[in-house]
């Protein structure tokens, strides 16, 4: 049975699931009825961070134009440009045993493509979530339903996987950004 988290809660992932090596982090969302003339294109991304909370290089930023880290331990499923249908809209497959030691944290984010030009924000997005499932079986281990109304934000750090005493933990973050992907990149040390 999955553990349901609220914003700010943390839970052990590997300690409570011995032998767990491969997981999938699924991100999903729906858009509210909106008549702004432009369709929504939300994107999942991940920032692989060192102990200082920064990427070691731009290759540690996973998004639709860079779908994996150098060794392939973390891979983005693809770019769903509509968000239609139930379940995960985009996901990242992670082999926890192969994540390089210098990566201490993986921040999972959702951004709205061209949000400013399209006058879109997360106030127009509903049912956003992050979940961790066992790779292969699709058994849901952890779920975090955002459930918050972000009225002006165009990017959200949804959740994080991080190392602690040799184990991986999951943190429900739910932190919004007004300046979208550029703001995330700036804060996490990616050159834009």
């Amino acid at each position: 049975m999955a553990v349901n988290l609220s914003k700010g809660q943390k839970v052990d992932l590997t300690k409570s699931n011995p032998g767990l090596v491969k997981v999938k982090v699924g991100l999903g969302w729906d858009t509210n009825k909106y008549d702004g003339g432009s369709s929504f294109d939300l994107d999942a991304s991940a920032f692989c961070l060192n102990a200082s909370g920064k990427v070691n290089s731009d290759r540690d930023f996973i998004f639709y134009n860079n779908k994996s880290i150098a060794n392939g331990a973390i891979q983005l499923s693809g770019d769903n440009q509509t968000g239609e249908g139930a379940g995960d809209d985009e996901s990242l497959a992670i082999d926890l045993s192969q994540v390089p030691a210098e990566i201490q944290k993986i921040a999972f984010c959702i951004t709205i493509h061209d949000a400013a030009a399209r006058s879109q924000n997360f106030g127009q997005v509903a049912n956003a979530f992050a979940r961790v499932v066992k790779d292969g079986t699709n058994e849901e281990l952890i779920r975090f339903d955002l459930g918050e109304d972000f009225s002006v934000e165009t990017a959200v750090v949804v959740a994080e996987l991080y190392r602690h005493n040799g184990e991986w933990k999951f943190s429900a973050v739910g932190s919004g950004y007004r300046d979208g992907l550029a703001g995330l990149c700036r804060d996490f040390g990616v050159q834009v």
Side-chain angles (χ1 to χ4, degrees):
M1 187 166 122
V3 175
N4 289 306
L5 299 180
S6 299
K7 182 177 178 173
Q9 288 185 307
K10 298 173 169 63
V11 66
D12 285 314
L13 177 62
T14 53
K15 191 174 186 177
S16 56
N17 295 285
L20 183 67
V21 175
K22 294 184 178 183
V23 297
K24 182 176 81 170
V25 174
L27 300 163
W29 53 81
D30 294 318
T31 54
N32 295 330
K33 295 296 180 201
Y34 166 74
D35 190 21
S38 298
S39 61
F40 271 82
D41 179 9
L42 278 72
D43 296 306
S45 58
F47 294 85
C48 302
L49 309 172
N50 59 30
S52 300
K54 304 288 184 189
V55 296
N56 288 314
S57 77
D58 289 354
R59 285 279 301 154
D60 289 340
F61 167 41
I62 302 168
F63 69 115
Y64 54 85
N65 278 337
N66 179 43
K67 292 185 178 169
S68 73
I69 62 171
N71 75 348
I74 305 170
Q75 298 184 22
L76 180 64
S77 63
D79 184 14
N80 177 339
Q81 296 185 348
T82 66
E84 293 294 318
D88 301 337
D89 291 305
E90 295 182 16
S91 63
L92 293 107
I94 304 167
D95 183 336
L96 297 169
S97 69
Q98 297 300 310
V99 175
E102 66 269 10
I103 295 175
Q104 293 295 304
K105 183 186 296 182
I106 306 164
F108 301 98
C109 308
I110 303 173
T111 57
I112 302 173
H113 182 70
D114 279 343
R118 297 176 180 183
S119 299
Q120 297 172 343
N121 61 59
F122 270 91
Q124 299 156 325
V125 174
N127 305 319
F129 68 87
R131 68 187 194 122
V132 179
V133 299
K134 281 186 184 178
D135 188 42
T137 67
N138 229 24
E139 176 191 348
E140 187 171 280
L141 302 172
I142 301 169
R143 183 177 188 91
F144 170 46
D145 292 307
L146 226 50
E148 291 202 25
D149 186 8
F150 296 97
S151 59
V152 297
E153 290 82 353
T154 57
V156 177
V157 177
V158 180
E160 296 172 339
L161 273 177
Y162 64 97
R163 295 181 201 256
H164 180 72
N165 293 332
E167 300 285 350
W168 284 96
K169 291 189 170 206
F170 182 89
S171 175
V173 178
S175 177
Y177 277 69
R178 286 181 176 213
D179 45 357
L181 186 57
L184 291 170
C185 288
R186 183 179 55 250
D187 284 3
F188 291 133
V190 174
Q191 301 301 312
V192 289

